[in-house]
Amino acid sequence: MRFLVTFIFVFFSFFTFGQIKMINIGLYYGNKPIEAIVFTPVSGKYNLYTENGMQLELVTGEMIYISYDKNGIKVQDLDKVIGTFKNVNLIGVASQNSFKIKCEKPNYKPRSYDDNLLIKQHDFEDKLVLINNIDLDNYVAGVVEAEVGPSPPEEYFKLQAIICRTYALKSYNRHDPEGFNLCDRVHCQAYHGRPKNHKIRMAAYETSGIVVVDSDINLITAAFHSNCGGQTANSEDVWTKPVYYLHSVVDTFCRAENNACWQKEIPKSKWLNYLHQKIQLDLNDSLSIAKAENLTQENRQLSFRLDSLHQLNFTQIRQDFKLKSAYFDIVDNGNTVLFKGKGFGHGVGLCQEGAMRMAKMGYTYPEILHYYYRGVHMIHISTLDFFKEE
């Protein structure tokens, strides 16, 4: 049993892509320290293992209370304290297993998850570290629902599942020093647990093992965003590094969607002083001020330019003024300037609202994927191992 528990944690240090069936996700990452939870099986059956072997069997509806203790991790049921341990691992032993977590300290709403829960003490803080050891496709289904919700058409769910799987495998070791592969926050991929939508789960299963690779058979950086405003961005215009398959494409499908347009009004004095500080705008030069107060991006551009020496990236302006996108026009509006924007997000890669529209129009998920990522290939992860060996 000790070997089994240790194996779960170190498995991902020695693998080929075809071997990846399970993945470890750090839960409640970046939230307030978790000091106590209630664990309840929702389906299946669970065995509780510690460094001392199996301690308990749990069936659907039974509850145990798990809390941080200065001596370790305390486990108790309704009647007694079972013990205090260094590691607690709740392993599903039926064909399908799911469980519910209710955080008591602090008090969070319950969440449900598939497969297994691993618990350890944090190395430097007085808190529990919760890790969902989960089947890769179950994880992908949870991410798809967290990222896009339940309303898009089924064909889009398949597309998003492939993208999320590719992103997860390319980034799988991001949190290795912390004892898990990925976390549940947006920078890894949003993940709120077990999906409620059965169609999303089926989309993950139907595309099981499919990932996207570039011309060198490397997993792509599967970037995506909410709405590109009619034209996606070049990767080098946002993240400095050019990537051939993250090249700007014209997108007519998203222009009438929810996040296609936005506006934000800013005091003119604030805008002009900002440019004065950033690129030395001469506040006494009427020609330069006129440029600053009136701007049109007919196509996505890299930077706001007064001249060849005085320019500022639109991505920097977006960040500083907390704008929805870096694709906007500026209109003189008296004492203010009006930012009239297009799209929502960084603009690189797949435009989700455009892709959803394409799916509704009958495009297949391979057609949609290749519309946004040019010159890439969909393959099974076992094939990826073959090419790497070659």
Side-chain angles (χ1 to χ4, degrees):
M1 273 305 113
R2 293 182 186 181
F3 173 77
L4 173 63
V5 171
T6 302
F7 177 78
I8 290 173
F9 280 103
V10 302
F11 174 74
F12 286 95
S13 297
F14 311 95
F15 75 95
T16 60
F17 282 108
Q19 291 175 323
I20 296 181
K21 305 298 181 186
M22 308 291 287
I23 190 166
N24 291 335
I25 309 299
L27 304 181
Y28 299 96
Y29 190 81
N31 289 35
K32 294 180 180 179
I34 304 297
E35 298 180 45
I37 68 166
V38 175
F39 175 93
T40 308
V42 174
S43 64
K45 179 181 177 182
Y46 281 83
N47 289 347
L48 189 154
Y49 295 100
T50 72
E51 64 273 15
N52 298 327
M54 194 178 86
Q55 303 294 319
L56 189 68
E57 294 183 357
L58 292 167
V59 297
T60 302
E62 292 186 320
M63 295 186 296
I64 55 171
Y65 186 78
I66 302 170
S67 59
Y68 174 85
D69 183 272
K70 63 181 180 180
N71 297 316
I73 303 170
K74 182 186 289 186
V75 181
Q76 56 193 105
D77 60 19
L78 296 176
D79 301 319
K80 61 184 182 302
V81 174
I82 296 166
T84 302
F85 310 97
K86 293 181 180 179
N87 296 299
V88 171
N89 303 283
L90 291 143
I91 309 300
V93 293
S95 58
Q96 293 184 341
N97 306 279
S98 63
F99 60 91
K100 180 172 66 176
I101 293 176
K102 175 64 176 73
C103 290
E104 296 286 320
K105 296 180 182 180
N107 187 10
Y108 293 138
K109 291 181 179 179
R111 289 184 183 178
S112 294
Y113 296 91
D114 285 305
D115 302 318
N116 310 313
L117 179 66
L118 316 179
I119 306 173
K120 63 178 185 174
Q121 288 181 296
H122 193 276
D123 291 335
F124 307 109
E125 299 181 44
D126 297 339
K127 68 176 185 178
L128 303 175
V129 177
L130 307 180
I131 301 169
N132 186 193
N133 173 247
I134 183 173
D135 175 89
L136 179 59
D137 289 333
N138 288 341
Y139 166 68
V140 166
V143 170
V144 171
E145 184 165 276
E147 291 283 1
V148 304
S151 58
E154 293 179 44
E155 197 70 8
Y156 181 79
F157 289 146
K158 296 175 187 177
L159 171 69
Q160 190 72 48
I162 294 169
I163 292 171
C164 291
R165 183 180 298 108
T166 303
Y167 189 97
L169 293 178
K170 187 174 179 66
S171 309
Y172 81 93
N173 60 352
R174 179 171 286 174
H175 288 279
D176 272 0
E178 297 167 272
F180 46 88
N181 303 114
L182 302 171
C183 76
D184 59 356
R185 300 295 292 273
V186 172
H187 79 275
C188 279
Q189 288 189 114
Y191 173 60
H192 303 150
R194 196 171 195 268
K196 298 179 177 64
N197 190 315
H198 180 69
K199 292 180 180 179
I200 292 178
R201 186 177 291 274
M202 292 308 300
Y205 295 162
E206 288 175 22
T207 61
S208 182
I210 300 177
V211 293
V212 188
V213 297
D214 63 18
S215 55
D216 294 321
I217 319 299
N218 294 314
L219 292 168
I220 71 166
T221 300
F224 57 89
H225 56 279
S226 177
N227 188 302
C228 71
Q231 182 184 3
T232 65
N234 293 312
S235 60
E236 63 268 28
D237 293 346
V238 179
W239 300 318
T240 71
K241 182 180 178 180
V243 179
Y244 81 86
Y245 55 80
L246 296 178
H247 189 72
S248 177
V249 298
V250 174
D251 180 3
T252 60
F253 298 99
C254 70
R255 291 176 177 173
E257 301 302 310
N258 291 337
N259 290 306
C261 299
W262 55 268
Q263 292 188 1
K264 184 170 184 176
E265 200 169 14
I266 296 173
K268 184 179 293 185
S269 58
K270 182 177 180 179
W271 170 238
L272 296 178
N273 286 328
Y274 169 81
L275 293 178
H276 175 67
Q277 293 174 4
K278 291 288 187 179
I279 56 173
Q280 294 78 51
L281 171 70
D282 186 348
L283 298 177
N284 295 313
D285 182 349
S286 58
L287 182 59
S288 294
I289 289 176
K291 287 184 178 180
E293 295 173 350
N294 295 275
L295 166 75
T296 301
Q297 286 193 70
E298 293 183 1
N299 300 301
R300 278 190 183 265
Q301 299 173 21
L302 174 61
S303 58
F304 172 84
R305 299 167 60 93
L306 290 177
D307 52 50
S308 60
L309 297 177
H310 300 87
Q311 52 188 298
L312 182 64
N313 281 2
F314 284 115
T315 54
Q316 184 65 54
I317 297 172
R318 180 200 175 200
Q319 177 181 323
D320 292 340
F321 284 95
K322 296 180 172 56
L323 306 176
K324 289 187 175 182
S325 75
Y327 191 12
F328 54 81
D329 300 336
I330 300 175
V331 178
D332 184 352
N333 197 33
N335 293 325
T336 64
V337 288
L338 184 63
F339 285 70
K340 301 181 68 174
K342 305 169 188 176
F344 190 4
H346 53 65
V348 180
L350 180 130
C351 171
Q352 289 179 303
E353 290 191 342
M356 290 178 199
R357 172 54 57 185
M358 292 181 73
K360 290 176 182 176
M361 294 173 65
Y363 288 89
T364 65
Y365 70 82
E367 290 173 327
I368 302 170
L369 186 138
H370 289 107
Y371 183 82
Y372 290 101
Y373 305 112
R374 305 289 172 91
V376 300
H377 313 277
M378 288 188 295
I379 65 173
H380 195 276
I381 50 178
S382 59
T383 308
L384 185 62
D385 293 333
F386 170 79
F387 281 108
K388 291 304 178 185
E389 290 172 3
E390 290 291 307

